[in-house]
Amino acid sequence: MQRPIILVDLMNVFLRHYLVNPQMDRNGNPIGGTIGFLKAIGALVKTYAPYKVYIIWETGGSPKRLSLYPEYKQRSRPMRPNRAYDDAIPDTKENEIAQKQILMQLLQYLPVSQIHVENCEADDVIAYLSKSIFQDKEKIIVSTDKDFYQLLDSKTKIYNPAKKKFVKESDVIEEFNITPENFAVAKSLNGDSSDNIPGVPRIGFKTLAKKIVLNQGAVSVDDILAEAKNHIINDKKPLAMWQNIASNEDLVRRNLKLMKLDDRMLTASQVQDIVRIVKEFVPQYNKIKFWKTYIDLELEGIDVENLCNNFHFLIHSNNNG
């Protein structure tokens, strides 16, 4: 059986632990995001024996998306930590940044690839890796973000670290009655409040799935707009949803551009950076430096020997093909 390639949405996994993990370092500083992330990825490596692991960082917003819609992600909800800390311990942006810097430092001593592409969303990098570079490889995308549902296929699964379970093509069809290949089209009508993208009024996934066949072959925005106009012309009393869809054509087309994960949101130089990083990546492991950094930073919360043993597998497996 082919060993999978693991693609990790770093910020998605890190923030989940940052918000809920109460781990402190020896100086009393919150370090739960870093410790939780390392333990989670170590467990995945041990359980699923991947061929390689790529950790994808978020390096800023997408200029192309912002040019399409300046309000994109402009009203993100503030994070609400739910930790078992004393009320006197503040949650600060400085601490979040410090934890990410520590994480970046520790990851460089483990046999994983960290991918940083300037002015690029992690979603777009993961999509390019999944659909282009590793198209024919078995892949596991690690994230709770439903935007990745559109990437699901026979060789691509999503691991939801919050639920600790896989999401497959069949799961999306069962939950939404929409195939992964139609998921971005459905979202272009539904909108996405988490990214501040408005949808067509009074249109949700359930309504779409009931009125439009989205659980079989590929359906395009053009198909749906044509169906809406046909109902308006031919039905004696067309449903309000058809009028809403037809009158919001520009919004729907814009939303699809915002939500579709493909290389159109990447510049040529960004693609070159991704290709170069993947091509040059050779898993390397420095257990001594990892231990030394962990001790020097006065961290706690990890069985370092066990974690290092989990990651050592990646060196052994790559050296043996």
Side-chain angles (χ1 to χ4, degrees):
M1 177 182 288
Q2 187 183 78
R3 294 196 305 274
I5 290 170
I6 290 183
L7 308 174
V8 182
D9 181 359
L10 181 139
M11 282 302 295
N12 181 277
V13 179
F14 169 83
L15 286 175
R16 174 175 171 267
H17 292 283
Y18 173 79
L19 294 174
V20 302
N21 191 319
Q23 183 65 50
M24 303 285 193
D25 66 17
R26 293 179 184 176
N27 295 313
N29 298 309
I31 196 67
T34 296
I35 299 302
F37 181 92
L38 290 169
K39 291 171 72 172
I41 302 308
L44 285 172
V45 169
K46 180 180 180 180
T47 303
Y48 300 109
Y51 178 57
K52 288 183 178 178
V53 176
Y54 293 87
I55 310 290
I56 297 87
W57 287 82
E58 189 85 18
T59 59
S62 166
K64 289 189 176 182
R65 285 191 176 87
L66 288 171
S67 68
L68 283 170
Y69 183 49
E71 288 77 28
Y72 176 66
K73 288 191 174 181
Q74 293 302 304
R75 291 191 303 186
S76 297
R77 295 178 181 176
M79 296 186 297
R80 297 183 182 276
N82 181 23
R83 302 188 180 120
Y85 295 147
D86 185 272
D87 290 340
I89 299 175
D91 295 297
T92 65
K93 190 67 178 177
E94 289 76 13
N95 176 256
E96 179 191 336
I97 293 171
Q99 288 199 47
K100 288 189 288 188
Q101 290 173 338
I102 292 170
L103 180 58
M104 185 181 298
Q105 187 175 356
L106 290 170
L107 286 172
Q108 69 180 318
Y109 302 129
L110 296 176
V112 302
S113 174
Q114 298 187 71
I115 299 183
H116 309 255
V117 180
E118 289 300 317
N119 297 316
C120 189
E121 293 189 51
D123 294 20
D124 295 315
V125 177
I126 291 172
Y128 186 78
L129 292 170
S130 182
K131 296 172 70 174
S132 297
I133 296 181
F134 300 128
Q135 181 179 9
D136 298 323
K137 305 290 186 181
E138 298 288 337
K139 302 170 291 294
I140 298 173
I141 297 171
V142 183
S143 181
T144 62
D145 190 345
K146 290 185 175 66
D147 288 345
F148 291 122
Y149 284 5
Q150 61 187 281
L151 302 180
L152 288 167
D153 56 33
S154 61
K155 289 188 174 293
T156 308
K157 295 185 290 186
I158 295 170
Y159 181 80
N160 184 319
K163 297 181 179 179
K164 295 185 178 181
K165 61 181 290 188
F166 281 105
V167 179
K168 303 182 292 297
E169 289 181 277
S170 58
D171 298 317
V172 176
I173 295 172
E174 182 178 349
E175 181 176 356
F176 297 99
N177 204 24
I178 298 170
T179 61
E181 67 180 333
N182 290 327
F183 203 75
V185 171
K187 283 195 70 177
S188 71
L189 286 100
N190 181 71
D192 188 340
S193 60
S194 66
D195 287 340
N196 194 34
I197 301 175
V200 175
R202 304 181 70 179
I203 296 289
F205 283 123
K206 290 184 179 180
T207 300
L208 288 170
K210 285 181 181 179
K211 300 299 180 181
I212 303 172
V213 180
L214 294 168
N215 62 354
Q216 297 178 19
V219 177
S220 69
V221 163
D222 286 334
D223 293 333
I224 294 174
L225 289 168
E227 184 172 355
K229 293 172 183 176
N230 181 64
H231 280 285
I232 291 170
I233 293 172
N234 296 311
D235 293 357
K236 289 184 178 180
K237 293 184 177 180
L239 296 174
M241 67 166 284
W242 299 121
Q243 184 60 54
N244 288 342
I245 291 173
S247 61
N248 283 279
E249 178 175 346
D250 290 344
L251 177 143
V252 173
R253 292 190 184 280
R254 182 207 65 193
N255 284 358
L256 184 63
K257 292 178 181 177
L258 293 170
M259 296 173 170
K260 186 73 172 177
L261 295 179
D262 55 31
D263 59 7
R264 287 179 295 180
M265 287 297 164
L266 298 172
T267 65
S269 63
Q270 288 171 334
V271 169
Q272 290 171 1
D273 284 344
I274 297 169
V275 172
R276 174 184 54 77
I277 292 169
V278 171
K279 185 177 181 180
E280 294 177 355
F281 172 51
V282 177
Q284 296 182 348
Y285 175 47
N286 195 320
K287 180 178 178 180
I288 293 175
K289 284 191 174 181
F290 185 93
W291 258 112
K292 184 178 185 303
T293 302
Y294 184 85
I295 293 170
D296 289 347
L297 293 173
E298 300 187 83
L299 303 180
E300 288 188 326
I302 291 180
D303 181 338
V304 176
E305 190 66 31
N306 183 58
L307 179 77
C308 289
N309 288 338
N310 290 345
F311 279 100
H312 187 265
F313 167 84
L314 287 170
I315 293 291
H316 177 75
S317 65
N318 276 270
N319 287 341
N320 289 279

